Amino acid sequence: MQIDIISVLPEMMESPLSQSIVQRARQKGLVQINLIGLREFGLGAYKQLDDYPYGGGGGMVLRVEPLAACIEHLLQQQTYDEIIYLTPDGEQLNQKTVNSLSTKNNLLLICGHYKGIDQRIRDKYVTCEISIGDYVLSGGEIAACVLADAIVRLIPGVLSDEMSALSDSFQDGLLAPPVYTRPEIWEGRSVPEVLISGHEKRIAEWRLEESIARTRKRRPDLLDE
Ligand code: ADE
């Protein structure tokens, strides 16, 4: 899979995308992540990227020309299965969307900044608009890292224990059950006896019950679905 990310601040994403599981996936060649700085497509001597919004109001808007030039430059080299704009007014991200995106080959992510990007870029190029939650971030970079991380860990071969993605919260529409590791007793608190019983069927039943109870308490909306 290839994930290209256009941003005014590509450096901001270097560290989160160069650690842990995502880094291992990159090293194994299972994903190629390219951070593309928009600045080099900026206008004039000052490499201008943004301008005041027509109609007034606060904030700045990323102009069409640098974004269009950058996207066209990338499109000369490959096509994309989806061109995704990260924006608080997009469709809220969930595991189902992540699962679906993890089956694609080429994704282009566009990070907004300031007040966002000129609507005409959205109209012409963007195929999918994603929000990571009902709050406003300073830009799309952190949202792009969230999305890329969630996608990359699902690419076959990335997780060492393939089963562990299947037991994630949300994969079966439920929150994950509690987990424990050694020591068996800590400050007088014991690990639930069933987990040390070695009885696989009882353990599976216990986990399912705990998942349902936790989901009912914390996210009853998931059970309604
Ligand atoms: N950019 C700014 N806020 C955002 C959000 N909540 N989701 C995605 N992109 C954003």
Side-chain angles (χ1 to χ4, degrees):
M1 176 187 280
Q2 181 175 329
I3 304 178
D4 294 344
I5 310 179
I6 300 175
S7 159
V8 176
L9 293 170
E11 308 81 22
M12 193 171 163
M13 296 177 280
E14 271 164 17
S15 176
L17 298 176
S18 307
Q19 319 275 342
S20 181
I21 290 170
V22 177
Q23 175 66 349
R24 242 190 302 138
R26 293 174 83 170
Q27 283 168 346
K28 281 192 193 170
L30 296 170
V31 65
Q32 195 186 333
I33 299 179
N34 302 310
L35 302 177
I36 299 129
L38 190 59
R39 184 65 63 181
E40 68 172 286
F41 297 91
L43 300 168
Y46 296 104
K47 300 283 173 202
Q48 189 195 351
L49 295 176
D50 58 350
D51 217 325
Y52 296 100
Y54 278 119
M60 302 291 273
V61 177
L62 283 182
R63 291 178 60 134
V64 271
E65 305 97 313
L67 275 166
C70 181
I71 295 167
E72 290 294 343
H73 170 76
L74 294 170
L75 285 174
Q76 277 170 15
Q77 299 157 55
Q78 70 272 295
T79 56
Y80 293 101
D81 299 306
E82 298 286 352
I83 298 184
I84 301 168
Y85 174 46
L86 283 312
T87 172
D89 59 25
E91 198 173 308
Q92 194 154 324
L93 185 63
N94 56 31
Q95 193 63 47
K96 190 164 155 243
T97 304
V98 173
N99 292 350
S100 158
L101 291 174
S102 75
T103 67
K104 310 286 184 189
N105 290 318
N106 288 324
L107 299 175
L108 175 61
L109 276 49
I110 302 172
C111 304
H113 224 81
Y114 320 115
K115 269 280 163 205
I117 66 175
D118 190 297
Q119 179 62 36
R120 290 167 289 187
I121 290 292
R122 299 168 73 161
D123 296 341
K124 176 164 181 190
Y125 296 105
V126 171
T127 60
C128 175
E129 303 193 322
I130 291 180
S131 160
I132 63 160
D134 287 345
Y135 41 81
V136 179
L137 302 165
S138 328
E141 287 77 10
I142 293 173
C145 290
V146 167
L147 179 61
D149 183 292
I151 290 171
V152 169
R153 62 192 295 286
L154 295 184
I155 299 171
V158 169
L159 293 183
S160 45
D161 176 3
E162 299 274 3
M163 291 301 291
S164 72
L166 295 176
S167 60
D168 286 342
S169 280
F170 308 113
Q171 277 303 9
D172 52 7
L174 295 172
L175 300 183
V179 292
Y180 297 85
T181 185
R182 289 188 294 175
E184 211 176 296
I185 301 174
W186 175 75
E187 293 189 351
R189 295 162 194 261
S190 303
V191 171
E193 188 265 317
V194 61
L195 294 180
I196 17 190
S197 67
H199 198 299
E200 275 184 35
K201 185 158 171 281
R202 274 180 52 213
I203 293 172
E205 282 165 4
W206 180 86
R207 286 190 169 142
L208 180 61
E209 283 163 18
E210 290 289 323
S211 276
I212 293 170
R214 192 172 258 194
T215 309
R216 184 171 291 127
K217 183 153 180 255
R218 299 182 182 175
R219 293 292 307 276
D221 56 301
L222 293 176
L223 295 176
D224 296 342
E225 289 167 20

